[in-house]
Coordinates of all heavy atoms in Angstrom, one line a residue:
M1 N 30.5 -29.8 70.9 CA 30.0 -29.2 69.8 C 30.6 -29.9 68.5 O 31.8 -30.0 68.4 CB 30.3 -27.7 69.7 CG 29.7 -27.0 68.6 SD 29.7 -25.2 68.9 CE 30.6 -24.7 67.5
N2 N 29.7 -30.3 67.6 CA 30.2 -30.9 66.4 C 30.6 -29.9 65.4 O 29.8 -29.0 65.0 CB 29.1 -31.8 65.8 CG 28.9 -33.1 66.6 OD1 29.8 -33.4 67.4 ND2 27.8 -33.7 66.4
M3 N 31.8 -29.9 64.9 CA 32.3 -29.0 63.8 C 32.1 -29.7 62.5 O 32.3 -30.9 62.4 CB 33.7 -28.7 64.0 CG 34.0 -27.9 65.3 SD 33.2 -26.3 65.4 CE 34.1 -25.4 64.1
P4 N 31.6 -29.0 61.5 CA 31.5 -29.6 60.2 C 32.8 -30.1 59.6 O 33.8 -29.4 59.8 CB 30.8 -28.5 59.3 CG 31.0 -27.3 60.0 CD 31.2 -27.6 61.5
D5 N 32.8 -31.2 59.0 CA 34.0 -31.7 58.3 C 34.4 -30.9 57.1 O 33.6 -30.8 56.2 CB 33.8 -33.2 57.9 CG 35.0 -33.8 57.3 OD1 36.1 -33.1 57.2 OD2 34.9 -35.0 56.9
P6 N 35.5 -30.2 57.1 CA 35.9 -29.3 56.0 C 35.9 -30.0 54.7 O 35.7 -29.4 53.6 CB 37.2 -28.7 56.4 CG 37.7 -29.5 57.5 CD 36.6 -30.2 58.1
L7 N 36.3 -31.3 54.7 CA 36.3 -32.0 53.4 C 34.9 -32.2 52.8 O 34.7 -32.2 51.6 CB 37.0 -33.3 53.6 CG 38.5 -33.2 53.8 CD1 39.1 -34.6 54.0 CD2 39.3 -32.5 52.7
T8 N 34.0 -32.5 53.7 CA 32.6 -32.7 53.2 C 31.9 -31.4 52.9 O 30.9 -31.4 52.1 CB 31.8 -33.6 54.1 OG1 31.7 -32.9 55.4 CG2 32.3 -35.0 54.3
T9 N 32.3 -30.3 53.5 CA 31.7 -29.0 53.1 C 32.3 -28.4 51.9 O 31.6 -27.7 51.2 CB 31.7 -28.1 54.3 OG1 33.0 -27.9 54.8 CG2 30.9 -28.6 55.5
R10 N 33.6 -28.6 51.7 CA 34.3 -28.0 50.6 C 34.1 -28.8 49.3 O 33.9 -28.2 48.3 CB 35.8 -27.9 50.9 CG 36.5 -27.3 49.7 CD 37.9 -26.9 49.9 NE 38.4 -26.4 48.7 CZ 39.6 -25.9 48.6 NH1 40.4 -25.9 49.6 NH2 40.0 -25.4 47.4
Y11 N 34.1 -30.1 49.4 CA 34.0 -30.9 48.2 C 32.7 -31.6 48.1 O 32.3 -32.5 49.0 CB 35.1 -32.0 48.2 CG 36.5 -31.3 48.1 CD1 37.3 -31.2 49.2 CD2 37.0 -30.7 46.9 CE1 38.5 -30.6 49.2 CE2 38.2 -30.1 46.9 CZ 39.0 -30.1 48.0 OH 40.2 -29.4 48.0
R12 N 31.9 -31.2 47.2 CA 30.5 -31.7 47.0 C 30.5 -32.8 46.0 O 30.9 -32.6 44.8 CB 29.6 -30.6 46.6 CG 28.2 -31.0 46.4 CD 27.3 -29.8 46.0 NE 26.0 -30.2 45.6 CZ 25.3 -29.7 44.7 NH1 25.7 -28.6 44.0 NH2 24.1 -30.2 44.4
P13 N 30.1 -34.0 46.4 CA 30.0 -35.1 45.4 C 29.0 -34.8 44.3 O 28.0 -34.2 44.5 CB 29.6 -36.3 46.2 CG 29.4 -35.9 47.5 CD 29.6 -34.4 47.7
L14 N 29.3 -35.3 43.1 CA 28.3 -35.2 42.0 C 27.1 -36.1 42.3 O 27.3 -37.2 42.8 CB 29.0 -35.5 40.7 CG 30.0 -34.6 40.2 CD1 30.7 -35.1 39.0 CD2 29.5 -33.2 39.9
S15 N 26.0 -35.7 41.9 CA 24.7 -36.5 42.1 C 24.7 -37.7 41.2 O 24.0 -38.7 41.5 CB 23.5 -35.7 41.8 OG 23.4 -34.6 42.6
S16 N 25.5 -37.7 40.1 CA 25.4 -38.8 39.1 C 26.3 -40.0 39.5 O 26.4 -40.9 38.7 CB 25.9 -38.3 37.8 OG 27.2 -37.8 37.8
R17 N 26.8 -40.0 40.7 CA 27.7 -41.2 41.1 C 26.9 -42.4 41.3 O 25.7 -42.4 41.6 CB 28.5 -40.8 42.4 CG 27.6 -40.7 43.6 CD 28.5 -40.4 44.8 NE 27.7 -40.4 46.1 CZ 27.0 -39.4 46.5 NH1 26.9 -38.3 45.8 NH2 26.3 -39.5 47.7
Y18 N 27.5 -43.6 41.1 CA 26.9 -44.9 41.1 C 27.2 -45.6 42.4 O 26.7 -46.7 42.6 CB 27.3 -45.7 39.9 CG 26.6 -45.3 38.6 CD1 27.3 -44.5 37.7 CD2 25.3 -45.5 38.4 CE1 26.7 -44.1 36.5 CE2 24.6 -45.1 37.3 CZ 25.4 -44.4 36.3 OH 24.7 -44.0 35.2
S19 N 28.0 -45.1 43.2 CA 28.4 -45.8 44.5 C 28.3 -44.8 45.6 O 28.1 -43.6 45.4 CB 29.8 -46.4 44.4 OG 30.8 -45.3 44.4
E20 N 28.4 -45.3 46.8 CA 28.4 -44.4 48.0 C 29.7 -43.6 48.2 O 29.7 -42.6 48.9 CB 28.1 -45.2 49.3 CG 26.7 -45.8 49.3 CD 25.7 -44.7 49.3 OE1 25.8 -43.7 50.0 OE2 24.7 -44.9 48.5
T21 N 30.8 -44.1 47.6 CA 32.1 -43.4 47.7 C 32.2 -42.4 46.6 O 32.3 -42.7 45.4 CB 33.2 -44.4 47.6 OG1 33.0 -45.4 48.6 CG2 34.6 -43.7 47.8
P22 N 32.2 -41.1 46.9 CA 32.3 -40.1 45.8 C 33.7 -40.1 45.2 O 34.7 -40.0 46.0 CB 32.0 -38.7 46.6 CG 32.2 -39.0 48.0 CD 32.1 -40.5 48.2
V23 N 33.8 -40.2 43.9 CA 35.1 -40.1 43.2 C 35.2 -38.8 42.5 O 36.3 -38.2 42.6 CB 35.1 -41.3 42.2 CG1 36.4 -41.2 41.4 CG2 35.0 -42.6 42.9
L24 N 34.2 -38.3 41.9 CA 34.2 -37.0 41.3 C 33.5 -36.0 42.2 O 32.3 -36.3 42.6 CB 33.6 -37.0 39.9 CG 34.2 -38.0 38.9 CD1 33.4 -38.0 37.6 CD2 35.6 -37.5 38.6
V25 N 34.1 -34.9 42.5 CA 33.5 -33.9 43.4 C 33.7 -32.5 42.8 O 34.5 -32.3 41.9 CB 34.2 -33.9 44.8 CG1 33.9 -35.3 45.5 CG2 35.7 -33.7 44.7
I26 N 32.9 -31.6 43.3 CA 33.0 -30.2 43.0 C 33.7 -29.4 44.1 O 33.3 -29.6 45.3 CB 31.6 -29.5 42.7 CG1 30.9 -30.3 41.6 CG2 31.7 -28.0 42.4 CD1 29.4 -29.9 41.5
D27 N 34.7 -28.7 43.8 CA 35.3 -27.9 44.8 C 34.5 -26.6 45.0 O 34.5 -25.7 44.2 CB 36.8 -27.5 44.4 CG 37.5 -26.6 45.4 OD1 36.9 -26.2 46.4 OD2 38.7 -26.4 45.2
T28 N 33.7 -26.6 46.1 CA 32.8 -25.5 46.3 C 33.5 -24.1 46.6 O 32.8 -23.1 46.5 CB 31.8 -25.8 47.5 OG1 32.6 -25.9 48.7 CG2 31.0 -27.1 47.2
E29 N 34.8 -24.2 46.8 CA 35.5 -22.9 47.0 C 36.2 -22.5 45.8 O 37.0 -21.5 45.8 CB 36.5 -23.1 48.2 CG 35.8 -23.3 49.5 CD 36.7 -23.5 50.7 OE1 37.9 -23.2 50.5 OE2 36.3 -24.0 51.7
A30 N 36.0 -23.1 44.7 CA 36.7 -22.7 43.4 C 36.0 -21.4 43.0 O 34.9 -21.0 43.4 CB 36.5 -23.8 42.3
D31 N 36.7 -20.7 42.1 CA 36.1 -19.5 41.5 C 34.8 -19.7 40.9 O 34.7 -20.6 40.0 CB 37.1 -18.9 40.5 CG 36.7 -17.6 39.9 OD1 35.5 -17.3 39.8 OD2 37.6 -16.9 39.4
P32 N 33.7 -19.0 41.3 CA 32.4 -19.3 40.7 C 32.4 -19.2 39.1 O 31.7 -19.9 38.5 CB 31.5 -18.2 41.3 CG 32.2 -17.8 42.5 CD 33.7 -18.0 42.3
T33 N 33.2 -18.4 38.6 CA 33.3 -18.3 37.1 C 33.8 -19.6 36.5 O 33.3 -20.0 35.5 CB 34.2 -17.1 36.7 OG1 33.7 -15.9 37.2 CG2 34.3 -17.0 35.2
E34 N 34.8 -20.2 37.2 CA 35.3 -21.5 36.7 C 34.2 -22.6 36.9 O 34.1 -23.5 36.0 CB 36.6 -21.9 37.4 CG 37.7 -20.9 37.0 CD 39.0 -21.3 37.7 OE1 39.1 -22.4 38.3 OE2 40.0 -20.5 37.6
I35 N 33.5 -22.5 37.9 CA 32.4 -23.5 38.1 C 31.3 -23.3 37.0 O 30.9 -24.3 36.5 CB 31.8 -23.3 39.5 CG1 32.8 -23.7 40.6 CG2 30.6 -24.3 39.7 CD1 32.4 -23.3 42.0
L36 N 31.0 -22.1 36.7 CA 30.0 -21.8 35.7 C 30.5 -22.3 34.3 O 29.8 -22.8 33.5 CB 29.7 -20.3 35.6 CG 28.8 -19.8 36.8 CD1 28.7 -18.3 36.7 CD2 27.4 -20.4 36.7
D37 N 31.8 -22.1 34.1 CA 32.4 -22.5 32.8 C 32.3 -24.0 32.7 O 32.0 -24.6 31.6 CB 33.9 -22.1 32.7 CG 34.0 -20.6 32.4 OD1 33.0 -19.9 32.0 OD2 35.1 -20.1 32.6
A38 N 32.6 -24.8 33.8 CA 32.5 -26.2 33.7 C 31.0 -26.6 33.5 O 30.8 -27.6 32.7 CB 33.0 -26.8 35.1
A39 N 30.1 -25.9 34.1 CA 28.7 -26.2 33.9 C 28.3 -26.0 32.4 O 27.6 -26.8 31.8 CB 27.8 -25.4 34.8
R40 N 28.7 -24.9 31.9 CA 28.4 -24.5 30.5 C 29.0 -25.6 29.6 O 28.3 -26.0 28.6 CB 29.0 -23.1 30.2 CG 28.7 -22.7 28.8 CD 29.3 -21.3 28.5 NE 28.9 -20.8 27.2 CZ 29.4 -21.2 26.0 NH1 30.4 -22.1 26.0 NH2 29.0 -20.8 24.9
Q41 N 30.2 -26.0 29.8 CA 30.9 -27.0 29.0 C 30.0 -28.3 28.9 O 29.8 -28.9 27.8 CB 32.3 -27.3 29.5 CG 33.0 -28.4 28.7 CD 34.3 -28.8 29.4 OE1 34.4 -28.8 30.6 NE2 35.3 -29.0 28.6
R42 N 29.5 -28.8 30.1 CA 28.7 -30.0 30.1 C 27.4 -29.8 29.4 O 26.9 -30.7 28.7 CB 28.6 -30.5 31.5 CG 29.9 -31.2 32.0 CD 30.1 -31.1 33.5 NE 31.4 -31.7 33.8 CZ 32.6 -31.2 33.7 NH1 32.7 -30.0 33.1 NH2 33.7 -31.8 34.0
I43 N 26.7 -28.7 29.7 CA 25.4 -28.4 29.1 C 25.5 -28.2 27.6 O 24.7 -28.7 26.9 CB 24.8 -27.2 29.8 CG1 24.4 -27.6 31.3 CG2 23.5 -26.8 29.1 CD1 24.0 -26.5 32.2
R44 N 26.6 -27.6 27.2 CA 26.8 -27.4 25.7 C 27.1 -28.7 25.1 O 26.6 -29.0 24.0 CB 28.0 -26.5 25.5 CG 28.5 -26.3 24.1 CD 27.5 -25.9 23.0 NE 26.8 -24.8 23.4 CZ 25.6 -24.5 22.9 NH1 25.0 -25.3 22.0 NH2 24.9 -23.4 23.3
A45 N 27.8 -29.6 25.7 CA 28.1 -31.0 25.1 C 26.8 -31.7 25.0 O 26.5 -32.4 24.0 CB 29.1 -31.7 26.0
A46 N 25.9 -31.7 26.0 CA 24.6 -32.4 26.0 C 23.8 -31.8 24.9 O 23.1 -32.5 24.1 CB 23.9 -32.3 27.3
S47 N 23.8 -30.5 24.8 CA 23.0 -29.8 23.7 C 23.5 -30.2 22.3 O 22.7 -30.4 21.4 CB 23.1 -28.3 23.9 OG 22.4 -27.6 22.9
D48 N 24.8 -30.2 22.1 CA 25.4 -30.6 20.9 C 25.0 -32.0 20.5 O 24.7 -32.3 19.3 CB 26.9 -30.4 20.9 CG 27.3 -29.0 20.9 OD1 26.5 -28.1 20.7 OD2 28.5 -28.7 21.1
L49 N 25.1 -32.9 21.5 CA 24.7 -34.3 21.3 C 23.2 -34.4 20.9 O 22.9 -35.1 19.9 CB 25.0 -35.2 22.5 CG 24.6 -36.6 22.4 CD1 25.3 -37.3 21.2 CD2 25.0 -37.3 23.7
L50 N 22.4 -33.7 21.5 CA 20.9 -33.7 21.2 C 20.7 -33.1 19.8 O 19.9 -33.7 19.0 CB 20.1 -32.9 22.2 CG 19.9 -33.5 23.5 CD1 19.3 -32.5 24.5 CD2 18.9 -34.7 23.4
E51 N 21.4 -32.1 19.4 CA 21.3 -31.5 18.1 C 21.8 -32.6 17.0 O 21.1 -32.7 16.0 CB 22.1 -30.3 18.0 CG 21.9 -29.6 16.6 CD 22.6 -28.2 16.6 OE1 22.9 -27.6 17.6 OE2 22.9 -27.7 15.5
T52 N 22.8 -33.3 17.3 CA 23.3 -34.3 16.4 C 22.3 -35.4 16.2 O 22.0 -35.8 15.1 CB 24.6 -34.9 16.9 OG1 25.6 -33.9 17.0 CG2 25.1 -36.0 16.0
L53 N 21.7 -35.8 17.3 CA 20.7 -36.9 17.3 C 19.5 -36.4 16.5 O 18.8 -37.2 15.8 CB 20.3 -37.3 18.7 CG 21.4 -38.0 19.5 CD1 20.9 -38.2 20.9 CD2 21.7 -39.3 18.8
Y54 N 19.1 -35.2 16.7 CA 17.9 -34.6 16.0 C 18.2 -34.7 14.4 O 17.2 -34.9 13.7 CB 17.7 -33.2 16.4 CG 16.6 -32.5 15.7 CD1 15.3 -32.7 16.0 CD2 16.9 -31.5 14.7 CE1 14.2 -32.1 15.4 CE2 15.8 -30.9 14.1 CZ 14.5 -31.2 14.4 OH 13.5 -30.5 13.7
C55 N 19.4 -34.5 14.0 CA 19.7 -34.4 12.6 C 20.0 -35.8 12.0 O 20.0 -36.0 10.8 CB 21.0 -33.6 12.4 SG 20.8 -31.9 12.8
L56 N 20.1 -36.9 12.8 CA 20.4 -38.2 12.3 C 19.1 -38.9 11.8 O 18.0 -38.6 12.3 CB 21.0 -39.0 13.4 CG 22.5 -38.7 13.7 CD1 22.9 -39.6 14.9 CD2 23.4 -38.9 12.5
C57 N 19.3 -39.8 11.0 CA 18.2 -40.7 10.6 C 18.2 -41.9 11.5 O 19.2 -42.7 11.5 CB 18.4 -41.1 9.1 SG 17.2 -42.3 8.6
F58 N 17.2 -42.1 12.2 CA 17.1 -43.2 13.2 C 16.8 -44.6 12.6 O 16.8 -45.6 13.2 CB 16.1 -42.9 14.3 CG 16.7 -41.9 15.3 CD1 16.3 -40.6 15.2 CD2 17.6 -42.3 16.2 CE1 16.8 -39.7 16.1 CE2 18.2 -41.4 17.1 CZ 17.8 -40.1 17.1
K59 N 16.5 -44.6 11.3 CA 16.2 -45.9 10.6 C 17.4 -46.8 10.6 O 17.3 -48.0 10.6 CB 15.7 -45.6 9.2 CG 14.3 -45.0 9.1 CD 13.9 -44.7 7.7 CE 12.6 -44.0 7.7 NZ 12.1 -43.6 6.4
K60 N 18.6 -46.2 10.6 CA 19.8 -47.0 10.6 C 20.4 -47.1 11.9 O 21.5 -47.8 12.1 CB 20.8 -46.3 9.6 CG 20.3 -46.2 8.2 CD 21.4 -45.5 7.3 CE 20.8 -45.3 5.9 NZ 21.7 -44.5 5.1
A61 N 19.8 -46.6 13.0 CA 20.4 -46.6 14.3 C 20.2 -48.0 14.9 O 19.2 -48.7 14.6 CB 19.7 -45.6 15.2
D62 N 21.1 -48.4 15.8 CA 21.0 -49.6 16.6 C 20.3 -49.3 17.9 O 20.7 -48.4 18.6 CB 22.4 -50.2 16.8 CG 22.3 -51.6 17.4 OD1 21.3 -52.0 18.0 OD2 23.3 -52.3 17.2
T63 N 19.2 -50.0 18.2 CA 18.5 -49.8 19.4 C 19.3 -50.0 20.7 O 19.0 -49.4 21.7 CB 17.2 -50.6 19.5 OG1 17.6 -52.0 19.4 CG2 16.2 -50.3 18.5
R64 N 20.4 -50.7 20.6 CA 21.3 -50.9 21.7 C 22.1 -49.6 22.1 O 22.6 -49.5 23.1 CB 22.3 -52.1 21.5 CG 21.6 -53.4 21.4 CD 22.5 -54.5 21.1 NE 23.1 -54.2 19.7 CZ 23.9 -55.0 19.1 NH1 24.3 -56.1 19.6 NH2 24.3 -54.7 17.9
D65 N 22.1 -48.7 21.1 CA 22.8 -47.4 21.4 C 22.0 -46.5 22.2 O 22.6 -45.6 22.9 CB 23.1 -46.7 20.0 CG 24.2 -47.5 19.3 OD1 25.0 -48.2 19.9 OD2 24.2 -47.4 18.0
I66 N 20.7 -46.6 22.3 CA 19.8 -45.7 23.0 C 20.2 -45.6 24.5 O 20.3 -44.5 25.0 CB 18.3 -46.0 22.8 CG1 18.0 -45.8 21.3 CG2 17.4 -45.2 23.7 CD1 16.6 -46.2 20.9
P67 N 20.4 -46.7 25.2 CA 20.8 -46.5 26.6 C 22.1 -45.8 26.8 O 22.3 -45.0 27.7 CB 20.9 -47.9 27.2 CG 20.0 -48.8 26.2 CD 20.1 -48.1 24.9
N68 N 23.0 -46.0 25.9 CA 24.3 -45.3 25.9 C 24.2 -43.8 25.7 O 24.8 -43.0 26.4 CB 25.3 -45.9 24.9 CG 25.6 -47.3 25.1 OD1 25.5 -47.8 26.2 ND2 25.9 -48.0 24.0
I69 N 23.3 -43.4 24.8 CA 23.1 -42.0 24.5 C 22.4 -41.4 25.7 O 22.8 -40.3 26.2 CB 22.2 -41.9 23.2 CG1 23.1 -42.3 22.0 CG2 21.8 -40.5 23.1 CD1 22.3 -42.6 20.8
V70 N 21.4 -42.1 26.2 CA 20.6 -41.5 27.4 C 21.6 -41.4 28.6 O 21.5 -40.4 29.3 CB 19.4 -42.4 27.7 CG1 18.8 -42.0 29.0 CG2 18.4 -42.4 26.6
N71 N 22.4 -42.3 28.8 CA 23.4 -42.3 29.9 C 24.3 -41.1 29.8 O 24.5 -40.3 30.7 CB 24.1 -43.6 30.1 CG 25.0 -43.6 31.3 OD1 24.6 -43.3 32.4 ND2 26.3 -43.9 31.1
A72 N 24.8 -40.9 28.6 CA 25.7 -39.7 28.3 C 25.0 -38.4 28.6 O 25.5 -37.5 29.2 CB 26.3 -39.8 26.9
L73 N 23.8 -38.3 28.1 CA 23.0 -37.1 28.3 C 22.7 -36.9 29.8 O 22.7 -35.8 30.3 CB 21.7 -37.1 27.4 CG 21.9 -37.0 25.9 CD1 20.7 -37.3 25.2 CD2 22.4 -35.6 25.6
Y74 N 22.4 -37.9 30.5 CA 22.1 -37.8 31.9 C 23.3 -37.3 32.7 O 23.2 -36.4 33.4 CB 21.6 -39.2 32.5 CG 21.6 -39.2 34.0 CD1 20.6 -38.5 34.7 CD2 22.6 -39.8 34.7 CE1 20.6 -38.5 36.1 CE2 22.6 -39.7 36.1 CZ 21.6 -39.1 36.8 OH 21.6 -39.0 38.1
L75 N 24.5 -37.9 32.4 CA 25.7 -37.5 33.1 C 26.0 -36.1 32.8 O 26.3 -35.3 33.8 CB 26.8 -38.4 32.7 CG 26.8 -39.9 33.3 CD1 28.0 -40.7 32.7 CD2 26.9 -39.9 34.8
L76 N 25.9 -35.7 31.6 CA 26.3 -34.3 31.2 C 25.3 -33.3 31.9 O 25.8 -32.3 32.4 CB 26.3 -34.2 29.7 CG 27.5 -34.8 29.0 CD1 27.2 -34.9 27.5 CD2 28.8 -34.2 29.3
T77 N 24.0 -33.6 31.8 CA 23.1 -32.6 32.3 C 23.0 -32.6 33.8 O 22.9 -31.5 34.4 CB 21.7 -32.8 31.7 OG1 21.3 -34.2 32.0 CG2 21.6 -32.5 30.3
Q78 N 23.2 -33.8 34.5 CA 23.2 -33.8 35.9 C 24.4 -33.1 36.5 O 24.3 -32.4 37.4 CB 23.1 -35.3 36.4 CG 22.9 -35.4 37.9 CD 21.7 -34.7 38.4 OE1 20.6 -34.9 38.0 NE2 21.8 -33.7 39.3
D79 N 25.6 -33.4 35.9 CA 26.8 -32.8 36.4 C 26.7 -31.2 36.2 O 27.1 -30.5 37.0 CB 28.0 -33.3 35.7 CG 28.3 -34.8 36.1 OD1 27.6 -35.3 36.9 OD2 29.3 -35.3 35.5
G80 N 26.2 -30.9 35.0 CA 26.0 -29.4 34.7 C 25.1 -28.8 35.7 O 25.3 -27.7 36.2
N81 N 24.0 -29.5 36.1 CA 23.1 -28.9 37.1 C 23.7 -28.8 38.4 O 23.5 -27.8 39.1 CB 21.8 -29.9 37.1 CG 20.7 -29.3 38.0 OD1 20.4 -28.1 37.8 ND2 20.2 -30.1 38.9
D82 N 24.5 -29.8 38.8 CA 25.2 -29.8 40.1 C 26.1 -28.6 40.2 O 26.3 -27.9 41.2 CB 26.0 -31.1 40.4 CG 25.1 -32.2 40.7 OD1 23.9 -32.1 41.0 OD2 25.6 -33.4 40.8
L83 N 26.8 -28.4 39.1 CA 27.8 -27.2 39.0 C 27.0 -25.9 39.0 O 27.5 -25.0 39.7 CB 28.6 -27.3 37.7 CG 29.7 -28.4 37.7 CD1 30.0 -28.8 36.3 CD2 30.9 -28.0 38.5
L84 N 25.9 -25.8 38.4 CA 25.1 -24.6 38.4 C 24.6 -24.3 39.8 O 24.7 -23.2 40.3 CB 23.9 -24.6 37.5 CG 24.2 -24.5 36.0 CD1 23.0 -24.7 35.1 CD2 24.8 -23.1 35.7
D85 N 24.2 -25.3 40.5 CA 23.7 -25.2 41.9 C 24.8 -24.7 42.8 O 24.6 -23.8 43.6 CB 23.2 -26.5 42.5 CG 21.8 -26.9 41.9 OD1 21.1 -26.0 41.3 OD2 21.4 -28.1 42.1
T86 N 26.0 -25.2 42.6 CA 27.2 -24.8 43.4 C 27.5 -23.4 43.1 O 27.8 -22.6 44.1 CB 28.4 -25.7 43.1 OG1 28.0 -27.1 43.5 CG2 29.6 -25.3 44.0
A87 N 27.6 -23.0 41.9 CA 27.9 -21.6 41.5 C 26.8 -20.7 42.1 O 27.2 -19.6 42.6 CB 28.0 -21.5 40.0
R88 N 25.6 -21.1 42.0 CA 24.5 -20.2 42.5 C 24.7 -19.9 44.0 O 24.4 -18.8 44.5 CB 23.2 -20.9 42.2 CG 22.0 -20.0 42.6 CD 20.7 -20.6 42.1 NE 19.6 -19.9 42.7 CZ 18.8 -20.4 43.6 NH1 19.0 -21.6 44.1 NH2 17.8 -19.7 44.1
R89 N 25.1 -20.9 44.8 CA 25.3 -20.8 46.2 C 26.5 -19.8 46.5 O 26.5 -19.2 47.5 CB 25.6 -22.1 46.8 CG 24.4 -23.0 46.9 CD 24.7 -24.3 47.8 NE 23.5 -25.1 47.7 CZ 23.5 -26.3 47.1 NH1 24.5 -26.7 46.5 NH2 22.4 -27.0 47.1
R90 N 27.4 -19.7 45.5 CA 28.5 -18.9 45.7 C 28.3 -17.4 45.4 O 29.0 -16.5 45.8 CB 29.7 -19.3 44.9 CG 30.3 -20.7 45.2 CD 31.1 -20.7 46.5 NE 32.1 -19.6 46.6 CZ 33.3 -19.6 46.0 NH1 33.7 -20.6 45.4 NH2 34.1 -18.5 46.2
L91 N 27.2 -17.1 44.7 CA 26.9 -15.8 44.3 C 26.5 -15.0 45.5 O 25.8 -15.5 46.4 CB 25.8 -15.8 43.2 CG 26.1 -16.4 41.9 CD1 24.9 -16.4 41.0 CD2 27.3 -15.6 41.2
P92 N 26.8 -13.7 45.5 CA 26.3 -12.9 46.6 C 24.8 -12.8 46.7 O 24.1 -12.8 45.7 CB 26.9 -11.5 46.3 CG 27.5 -11.5 44.9 CD 27.5 -13.0 44.5
K93 N 24.3 -12.8 47.9 CA 22.9 -12.7 48.2 C 22.4 -11.3 47.9 O 23.1 -10.3 48.4 CB 22.6 -13.1 49.6 CG 23.1 -14.5 50.0 CD 22.3 -15.6 49.3 CE 22.7 -16.9 49.9 NZ 23.1 -17.8 48.9
T94 N 21.3 -11.2 47.2 CA 20.8 -9.9 46.9 C 19.6 -9.6 47.9 O 18.8 -10.5 48.2 CB 20.3 -9.7 45.5 OG1 19.3 -10.8 45.2 CG2 21.4 -9.9 44.5
P95 N 19.5 -8.4 48.4 CA 18.4 -8.1 49.3 C 17.1 -8.2 48.6 O 16.9 -7.8 47.5 CB 18.6 -6.7 49.8 CG 19.8 -6.2 49.0 CD 20.4 -7.3 48.2
G96 N 16.1 -8.9 49.3 CA 14.8 -9.1 48.6 C 13.8 -8.3 49.1 O 13.0 -7.8 49.5

């Protein structure tokens, strides 16, 4: 009988990784409140960045900055989403 590897079940790699080797992981056994706080931090940072961009004048912006901004927003929102998914799995199941 194959037993699940506790390292791969406890530590979930972030979806935003660029290689097959996970470097940044989510501890799925961490307190769900702490996981939610980490998700909120990343989503808030992405939201603040979007708000800043909304207020800027793009006439003076360098087009080479756009991929950097998009990458930062992708990492923040994808990591936040992964954290939210993990926290959701930790919440008690409600009878339906």
Side-chain angles (χ1 to χ4, degrees):
M1 181 163 121
N2 288 341
M3 297 297 290
D5 181 1
L7 291 179
T8 58
T9 56
R10 178 171 180 176
Y11 298 103
R12 180 179 172 214
L14 293 173
S15 300
S16 59
R17 69 182 185 274
Y18 286 104
S19 70
E20 291 300 315
T21 305
V23 176
L24 299 175
V25 295
I26 300 169
D27 182 354
T28 62
E29 294 180 14
D31 181 337
T33 302
E34 291 182 14
I35 297 171
L36 287 171
D37 286 344
R40 183 180 184 280
Q41 179 186 36
R42 282 151 182 79
I43 293 168
R44 171 55 50 204
S47 176
D48 290 347
L49 179 55
L50 283 169
E51 186 174 339
T52 299
L53 293 172
Y54 177 75
C55 296
L56 289 177
C57 175
F58 285 102
K59 291 178 184 176
K60 297 178 185 176
D62 190 335
T63 56
R64 294 178 295 184
D65 291 333
I66 293 172
N68 298 334
I69 293 166
V70 170
N71 186 49
L73 288 169
Y74 168 75
L75 288 174
L76 290 167
T77 55
Q78 186 60 54
D79 291 358
N81 188 50
D82 287 349
L83 288 158
L84 286 174
D85 286 345
T86 301
R88 184 170 172 253
R89 288 188 185 111
R90 293 286 314 276
L91 293 174
K93 304 288 186 237
T94 56

